[in-house]
Amino acid sequence: MKDLAARVAELYRRNRQTGHAAWCGTDYDFVCPSEGTYPFQWFWDSCFHAIVLTHFDIERAKSELRSLLVNAQPDGLVPHVTFWQREKYQEMLSTYAIAYRSPYLSDCMQPPLLAEALATVVERGGGLAFARELMPAVRRYYDWLDRVRDPDRDGLVAVLQPDETGLDHTPKFDGYLGVATCTHAELTSAWHRVADPYAEVGRDPARMFALDRFIVEDVMVNTIYGENLRVLAGLLDDLGDPSTAADYRLRAQETTAALLSRCFDPARGLFFDLAGSAEKHLETSTFTCLFPLLLPELPAEIAASLAAHLEDPRAFAARFPVPTVAMTEPSFCPDRLPGSLVFRGTTWINVNWYLARGLRRHGRTDLARHIEDRSVELIERAGFREYYNPHSGEGHGAEGFSWSALALDMIAARGD
Ligand code: GLC
């Protein structure tokens, strides 16, 4: 544990990015996902990094979130990437498929765990004054999600392109995207089939929805959304604003109720995303089908059925859990894929961090501990890699990958 903490601190020293950005006239101080492949500031990575930083440097945890929010947009969006030092990386940028709002900011969202990150920093020494400082931008962001991304008003927010889920190449979208073989070229052209028509309508959200090219009410995104609305309500209570807190709490309940009534398939015991304006279930079994474990109010029998999938050696109980795609799926690929295709079966530490927390909330400490211990073992064997082979534990993808340091949070936070 002491050794792991020291290794994390060293990784975060190496991946720290600081400087002054002339394009927006502000200083920045954040941890990039990986120097070699991802030198910019990514939204959900940064939220994870802030949580990890609370273990050894609360001031940097605060800077991480301040840098993330300093370019929050007037409409409320916090872009999924801030290209702080874009001029240094022109060549690398030519390989990214990204929709831009400006040369320095993307025009996409990522899983909305901002309130959770803020609450963790506040609780672990950041203090309520920090919550007060960031609250206006944080509330604008969740209000943007509600106003702009939930046009059918069912309590579930929709993503408009695959990368907005943070799970860029997940096979659960293959059928919907019309992807038959899994190659980088095919997935990139599918991305363009979705994103290019958006550019033609000026990336106006209402017109993007009207195109009905890619509208997904994603189970993981919405579980995180519901959880974060609840956490946001708690922060607002602490700040002495119970009536605004009650509004967000009500929204959290609506999101949870909608996940249960619209996404849960009782026959398979899994939650499925809703696709298109027709809201068809996307029925590939991936880890996101189990994600509602995170919700404290999930009925006990549903939590038990999700845990059973995690314990099933044919589905998710790999030697190094949790594979991001059920091993029974034809699209399950435990190996590194050409062109760094992600989330097609390999094991990821941020996924394990969330699922283990969910298991603890439903009394499955035994299974949570198993996942946590294996996560730490992966890092001991292969280092902080982007993802791992669930059979062999071999590390793949980016090296020195920052959110894999969540393993430290998994074991530092446990009191049992
Ligand atoms: C990949 C992942 C995305 C992550 C980014 C930086 O694009 O799919 O979730 O935020 O890399 O780590």
Side-chain angles (χ1 to χ4, degrees), residues 260-277:
L260 278 163
S261 65
R262 305 170 84 107
C263 301
F264 187 60
D265 175 346
R268 290 184 61 191
L270 295 170
F271 285 79
F272 292 118
D273 302 343
L274 308 177
S277 56

Side-chain angles (χ1 to χ4, degrees), residues 20-23 28 40 83-93 103-104:
H20 180 78
W23 60 271
Y28 57 86
F40 309 110
F83 299 93
W84 287 106
Q85 348 76 318
R86 122 163 246 134
E87 286 75 14
K88 259 173 75 184
Y89 296 98
Q90 292 301 353
E91 206 176 309
M92 185 186 291
L93 278 168
Y104 298 95

Side-chain angles (χ1 to χ4, degrees), residues 8-191:
V8 168
E10 167 59 16
L11 175 72
Y12 276 42
R13 194 189 57 70
R14 271 189 285 128
N15 285 353
R16 183 176 191 177
Q17 305 287 318
T18 56
H20 180 78
W23 60 271
C24 62
T26 54
D27 292 343
Y28 57 86
D29 182 356
F30 67 95
V31 176
C32 72
S34 165
E35 273 210 295
T37 36
Y38 307 112
F40 309 110
Q41 186 171 26
W42 265 263
F43 179 97
W44 76 324
D45 301 70
S46 225
C47 293
F48 291 131
H49 302 165
I51 292 168
V52 172
L53 280 164
T54 61
H55 291 286
F56 54 95
D57 194 333
I58 198 74
E59 287 310 315
R60 278 182 66 193
K62 289 179 169 178
S63 310
E64 183 83 27
L65 294 183
R66 286 192 179 112
S67 292
L68 183 64
L69 291 180
V70 74
N71 290 297
Q73 295 294 285
D75 61 354
L77 171 75
V78 180
H80 100 296
V81 191
T82 307
F83 299 93
W84 287 106
Q85 348 76 318
R86 122 163 246 134
E87 286 75 14
K88 259 173 75 184
Y89 296 98
Q90 292 301 353
E91 206 176 309
M92 185 186 291
L93 278 168
S94 64
T95 66
Y96 288 3
I98 288 216
Y100 291 96
R101 185 170 273 212
S102 81
Y104 298 95
L105 299 169
S106 78
D107 190 39
C108 294
M109 58 172 279
Q110 262 192 338
L113 50 129
L114 180 59
E116 264 179 291
L118 175 60
T120 308
V121 175
V122 167
E123 273 160 29
R124 295 184 183 165
L128 274 181
F130 184 60
R132 201 166 286 117
E133 174 192 329
L134 296 198
M135 189 51 76
V138 172
R139 279 191 54 196
R140 269 201 305 278
Y141 173 65
Y142 288 97
D143 293 347
W144 175 85
L145 284 165
D146 175 55
R147 190 180 71 250
V148 176
R149 289 310 186 91
D150 182 15
D152 62 1
R153 310 307 299 152
D154 62 356
L156 301 175
V157 292
V159 297
L160 290 164
Q161 45 194 75
D163 38 331
E164 289 198 315
T165 62
L167 312 172
D168 302 18
H169 311 119
T170 171
K172 67 184 182 173
F173 302 142
D174 284 1
Y176 183 39
L177 286 169
V179 167
T181 57
C182 136
T183 61
H184 198 260
E186 196 175 348
L187 281 156
T188 305
S189 51
W191 186 90

